[in-house]
């Protein structure tokens, strides 16, 4: 089974500053990688995904992530955050289209005005 | 895009009663649906996986008699919390995989259950 690690449980950052949320996974087999965002009392919304191809993936709301196979990482970045980015962010890994998703423990991003 | 809808969003019930939560895929056929439970400030805990027309597969430690899952059609799965107790209070989220983009999970809005 996969293990997904989000090292930072809470990340405070000032508005308009850059941010990076880290995600590492355990297995070296071919994987699909996802970042989801969750606003309070809501379900999860897909930010971006890596299935194949370019290792730099761009998503919604100005977020991007880079797949690094050698480091088994999929860190999420945004060059300039907004207040509205305050939310919980989850990294997820799947080993194929028909397989289970494994979620990290989540990173709470707080954007400070 | 693919939409998954959950109902109800909020439910409050008395201890000992049963509560049903519906999860619908609105614009695609969901061959597989997943039910998660989320405690405050924590990640999603997979409870069970259901495939249309067959029995759900429950994760270890999840009581199948307490959390009844039915996936009778390609667009509807239901979770029934039977004889609910206060410790069952939680945020329940469903997700669905299917349609053209089978690499992705589509999530419902979640259902907040409070058992008094």
């Amino acid at each position: 089974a996969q293990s997904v690690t989000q090292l930072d449980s809470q990340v405070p950052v000032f508005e308009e500053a850059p941010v990076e949320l880290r995600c590492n996974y355990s297995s070296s087999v071919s994987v699909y990688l996802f970042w989801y965002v969750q606003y309070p009392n809501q379900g999860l919304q897909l930010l971006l995904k890596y299935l194949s191809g370019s290792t730099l993936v761009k998503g919604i709301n100005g977020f991007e992530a880079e797949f690094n196979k050698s480091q088994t990482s999929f860190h999420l970045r945004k060059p300039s955050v907004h207040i509205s980015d305050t939310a919980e962010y989850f990294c997820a890994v799947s080993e194929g289209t028909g397989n289970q998703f494994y979620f990290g423990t989540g990173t709470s991003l707080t954007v400070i005005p | 895009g693919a939409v998954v809808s959950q109902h109800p969003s909020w439910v409050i019930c008395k201890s000992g009663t049963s509560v049903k939560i519906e999860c619908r895929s609105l614009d695609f056929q969901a061959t597989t649906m997943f039910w998660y439970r989320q405690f405050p400030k924590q990640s999603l805990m997979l409870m069970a996986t259901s495939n249309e027309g067959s029995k759900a597969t429950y994760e270890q430690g999840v009581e199948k008699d307490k959390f009844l899952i039915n996936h009778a059609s390609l667009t509807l799965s239901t979770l029934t919390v039977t004889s609910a107790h206060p410790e069952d209070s939680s945020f329940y989220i469903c997700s669905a995989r299917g349609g053209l983009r089978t690499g992705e999970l589509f999530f419902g809005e979640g259902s907040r259950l409070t058992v008094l």
Side-chain angles (χ1 to χ4, degrees):
Chain A
Q2 280 281 351
S3 171
V4 182
T5 302
Q6 289 182 246
L7 289 170
D8 307 302
S9 59
Q10 296 186 24
V11 174
V13 62
F14 286 104
E15 191 174 16
E16 297 184 5
V19 70
E20 177 180 83
L21 307 183
R22 295 179 292 171
C23 174
N24 289 85
Y25 60 96
S26 59
S27 176
S28 60
V29 300
S30 179
V31 294
Y32 296 167
L33 299 157
F34 306 83
W35 274 99
Y36 286 87
V37 61
Q38 184 182 33
Y39 299 101
N41 293 309
Q42 294 187 29
L44 275 66
Q45 179 184 2
L46 182 69
L47 274 179
L48 48 79
K49 62 184 176 183
Y50 170 80
L51 302 182
S52 63
S54 173
T55 57
L56 183 62
V57 180
K58 293 188 182 298
I60 63 171
N61 301 341
F63 284 93
E64 64 180 33
E66 185 155 19
F67 168 52
N68 188 318
K69 187 174 182 179
S70 63
Q71 297 186 5
T72 60
S73 69
F74 191 55
H75 301 331
L76 180 71
R77 303 186 184 97
K78 185 169 183 177
S80 176
V81 295
H82 300 133
I83 296 291
S84 59
D85 293 324
T86 295
E88 193 79 17
Y89 291 80
F90 292 97
C91 178
V93 175
S94 171
E95 291 177 346
T97 57
N99 292 338
Q100 182 179 332
F101 269 53
Y102 299 90
F103 286 90
T105 49
T107 298
S108 178
L109 174 64
T110 301
V111 180
I112 304 164
Chain B
V3 178
V4 175
S5 178
Q6 261 183 264
H7 177 81
S9 302
W10 299 83
V11 57
I12 301 173
C13 69
K14 292 182 179 180
S15 185
T17 60
S18 294
V19 174
K20 180 184 285 188
I21 301 170
E22 292 187 348
C23 179
R24 294 180 183 273
S25 57
L26 299 185
D27 54 358
F28 69 102
Q29 294 184 327
T31 53
T32 305
M33 285 187 169
F34 304 88
W35 285 94
Y36 296 87
R37 183 173 180 177
Q38 187 180 32
F39 293 99
K41 303 294 184 183
Q42 294 188 28
S43 188
L44 284 74
M45 182 192 78
L46 180 64
M47 298 174 66
T49 302
S50 71
N51 294 298
E52 185 266 338
S54 61
K55 288 185 178 181
T57 302
Y58 289 81
E59 296 298 304
Q60 191 173 6
V62 178
E63 299 176 62
K64 61 178 69 175
D65 294 330
K66 166 167 273 296
F67 300 101
L68 300 179
I69 292 172
N70 183 280
H71 192 162
S73 77
L74 285 171
T75 59
L76 173 65
S77 177
T78 60
L79 166 67
T80 301
V81 183
T82 62
S83 186
H85 292 286
E87 58 265 30
D88 299 324
S89 299
S90 193
F91 193 57
Y92 293 89
I93 307 175
C94 74
S95 67
R97 190 203 303 272
L100 297 177
R101 296 181 289 179
T102 55
E104 183 179 337
L105 275 186
F106 303 99
F107 286 85
E109 309 94 326
S111 299
R112 171 76 59 193
L113 171 63
T114 301
V115 185
L116 302 177

